[in-house]
Amino acid sequence: YFHYHREGKKHFVKEVEVCTHLRLTSCHEYLDGNNSAVIPTDTIKNIVLVLAKKNGIATLEQFAIDICQHFMTTFCQVAYVKTYVQEVPWQRLHENGIPHIHSFICVPNGIRFCEAEQCRNGPLIVFAGIKDLKLMKTTQSGFEGFYKNEHTTLPERNDRILCGELFCKWSYGECKDFDFDCIWNKIRECILEAFAGPPDCGEYSPSYQKTVNSIQMHILSKVSQVQVIEVVLNNTFYNVVDMKNLGLTNDKEVSKCSKHNLPGLSLKILSLKA
């Protein structure tokens, strides 16, 4: 769904991707081929468009809540609804420091998303998060003292590049009247603070694991509305290239990147507020 509005000559845009899943109270459509209770996907799509037109998208979370509440209150055959909303990261284009009135650029500074789900006669639960947030620091990171056996070839390092693609998802618990925009921005700020450390000196990271836990603990200590948080950090390794055979000395200036997307090389930690 793409929406823009004008204020004089200046345009404002919002684009989101929506996925809605419904579970019905009956299973006749599966067992008997009886579709009388089935809500077509085309109808679901049109309902989402109508809700966006009527209510706008003040926040992703509120839009997801509106969708869930509409299906739960309109269709008696719906037993469960879950809506996922993801924002396309459009930012206003600047030329020589001047904001453009109608041009935008898609900037991958991390993608905002949310989920809302509800069972009939149950509470409406809201999740939110950020994904595809690529982070790097060129020093203040190492990896030493790890388990070794006959298959270990990785050398110990006390100064390396730390880089990864971060996924973070948290739960607000039962839906309340939160300032979702403010909370999301605060959590993104906490992620960057915990990863990088103070701007003048940084903070040493002894492992990806410690960094992941530091991010989670920092968020839980600063944002009271978060009940449960999950962080995944996919490793991207940078290894210094040996250039002796090329007749050059490489003082950590040139490295090669190797990305590892295997599940075993992703760090996923779930934390609950005490």
Side-chain angles (χ1 to χ4, degrees):
Y1 169 78
F2 179 83
H3 176 265
Y4 83 94
H5 74 275
R6 304 178 183 182
E7 294 182 6
K9 292 183 178 181
K10 193 172 185 179
H11 292 193
F12 297 83
V13 302
K14 175 81 75 172
E15 183 175 2
V16 298
E17 300 170 4
V18 179
C19 179
T20 297
H21 169 73
L22 303 178
R23 187 185 305 145
L24 305 183
T25 54
S26 77
C27 55
H28 293 300
E29 62 276 12
Y30 292 101
L31 299 178
D32 308 322
N34 182 340
N35 297 325
S36 59
V38 176
I39 304 166
T41 53
D42 185 67
T43 302
I44 296 172
K45 176 202 69 177
N46 289 336
I47 288 171
V48 171
L49 291 174
V50 169
L51 290 173
K53 172 63 176 177
K54 287 184 175 180
N55 301 340
I57 306 177
T59 66
L60 270 65
E61 292 83 358
Q62 187 58 54
F63 188 43
I65 290 169
D66 291 345
I67 293 171
C68 280
Q69 290 181 334
H70 178 87
F71 282 101
M72 193 58 68
T73 57
T74 304
F75 302 97
C76 61
Q77 70 268 41
V78 172
Y80 169 84
V81 58
K82 180 177 181 178
T83 295
Y84 175 90
V85 183
Q86 172 178 305
E87 184 171 12
V88 179
W90 291 110
Q91 291 186 14
R92 188 172 301 279
L93 191 66
H94 286 69
E95 295 183 7
N96 298 320
I98 301 173
H100 203 284
I101 60 172
H102 62 243
S103 292
F104 301 83
I105 184 170
C106 193
V107 181
N109 286 334
I111 295 174
R112 179 176 176 177
F113 69 90
C114 75
E115 291 178 355
E117 62 179 357
Q118 185 175 16
C119 290
R120 186 161 296 280
N121 301 321
L124 196 155
I125 306 298
V126 179
F127 302 86
I130 181 170
K131 68 176 187 177
D132 300 342
L133 179 63
K134 296 182 179 180
L135 299 169
M136 173 191 285
K137 56 183 181 182
T138 53
T139 188
Q140 285 286 61
S141 173
F143 189 47
E144 302 175 277
F146 48 83
Y147 175 83
K148 305 177 184 68
N149 62 13
E150 67 274 16
H151 299 117
T152 303
T153 59
L154 183 71
E156 295 195 354
R157 301 272 300 276
N158 59 16
D159 188 11
R160 65 171 182 172
I161 293 173
L162 179 65
C163 181
E165 188 172 288
L166 184 135
F167 170 93
C168 180
K169 180 180 177 181
W170 57 90
S171 169
Y172 293 108
E174 191 170 344
C175 178
K176 296 180 181 178
D177 186 20
F178 294 138
D179 186 338
F180 293 112
D181 282 347
C182 180
I183 296 171
W184 191 90
N185 287 322
K186 179 62 178 177
I187 290 176
R188 188 178 186 278
E189 180 183 309
C190 287
I191 291 170
L192 302 182
E193 288 175 352
F195 179 85
D200 58 338
C201 61
E203 184 171 340
Y204 185 73
S205 168
S207 67
Y208 277 83
Q209 290 88 337
K210 182 62 170 63
T211 296
V212 167
N213 187 62
S214 295
I215 290 171
Q216 293 186 131
M217 293 301 102
H218 190 50
I219 293 170
L220 290 175
S221 68
K222 295 290 186 179
V223 187
S224 60
Q225 297 89 344
V226 172
Q227 298 300 309
V228 182
I229 189 164
E230 170 191 350
V231 171
V232 179
L233 187 62
N234 290 309
N235 301 12
T236 302
F237 293 111
Y238 285 84
N239 296 314
V240 178
V241 178
D242 186 352
M243 307 184 83
K244 292 178 182 177
N245 292 335
L246 300 175
L248 297 172
T249 300
N250 182 22
D251 186 18
K252 301 180 182 179
E253 298 163 314
V254 179
S255 300
K256 61 181 177 180
C257 171
S258 56
K259 293 185 177 181
H260 299 274
N261 294 319
L262 298 174
L265 294 173
S266 298
L267 305 177
K268 177 178 178 180
I269 301 178
L270 186 68
S271 291
L272 289 78
K273 180 159 287 183

